[in-house]
Amino acid sequence: MRHLLSTTDLTQDEALSILDTARELAQVADRPVKKLPTLRGRTVVNLFFEDSTRTRISFEAAAKRLSADVINFSAKGSSLSKGESLKDTALTLQAMGADAVVIRHGASGAAHRLATSGWIRGAVINAGDGTHEHPTQALLDAYTMRDHLRGNTGSLEGLNVVIVGDVLHSRVARSNVWLLDTLGANVTLVAPPTLLPVGVETWPCQINYDLDEAIVKADVVMMLRVQLERMNAAFFPSAREYSRRYGLDAQRMRTLPDHALVMHPGPMNRGMEIAADVADADRSVILDQVTNGVHVRMAVLYLLLGGQEA
Ligand code: ASP
């Protein structure tokens, strides 16, 4: 593996090797000094053309725990806002000696373009490209499911995962569907028909329009943010109507099996797709997802930057 661009091209062995490596590296978080010398002298650039809280900080923490040098480069405040192209930005990063570029971009395919262009020689990691993919989010989600439900070593074979909401605009949903299928889980998407992408019937998952019916056998319910910033039309009658049919409130949560987990990639619209008391409930593992994100991103950087040799 030279880059991490999507989960559709990850084999089961590659995915499991990232999850297993993340489990080993997670032990660093329990030490008084949370640092390994593995990537000393390597430079990781965080190139963010779209806003981010969790993902950018998580990659920064992951790189620093492995002793890499980190350069944070965001569109606001750089020459990107003067109209500099992706190519010129990439050539500049190459000239500065970036060993890995973590890219988030509003255009689907941007990470792929960077990886195949020859503009940079280092590894490219997709941290979210438009509505396409967000592979490290899916990996941290799989890690969290495995940790809570399969003793962090078992297989996800047969696990019932229900992903609910704005699938149309969600790179998280797409990356999860493919990765979970590769790992043997059964995925069901629940959304209003207007928020499902064209061609979704070819994805390796089931579709259900009825949330109440779908969640009774769920081991995991993953709520998606309604991505109002990507909506240029009315996709549902009103926020209230959406919450009533597709939101997870306390009453609906009570119909879940006792062991079932509630997940959300963040940022949450509390009161819309997820009620505040559900977000803060015991079975909600939303903050564990954040913690695990650092372990998984450490593993990805470690494996891509040749940490094995150290
Ligand atoms: N943070 C995730 C993403 O960047 C999910 C979201 O924005 O709703 O795709």
Side-chain angles (χ1 to χ4, degrees), residues 50-51 54-55 104 127-128 130 134 137 170-172 224-227 229-230 264-267:
E50 265 191 358
D51 294 345
R54 275 155 292 273
T55 307
R104 167 166 290 191
H134 192 353
Q137 177 72 44
S170 180
R171 49 199 178 204
V172 174
L224 301 171
R225 182 174 66 92
V226 177
Q227 302 200 17
E229 80 280 18
R230 295 192 207 273
H264 192 302

Side-chain angles (χ1 to χ4, degrees), residues 4 15-16 27 49 91 129 155 159 180 211 213 224 270-271:
L4 178 63
L16 287 175
Q27 293 167 20
F49 293 81
L91 293 173
D129 61 327
S155 133
L159 198 77
L180 289 167
L211 181 55
E213 182 182 287
L224 301 171
R270 283 175 183 250

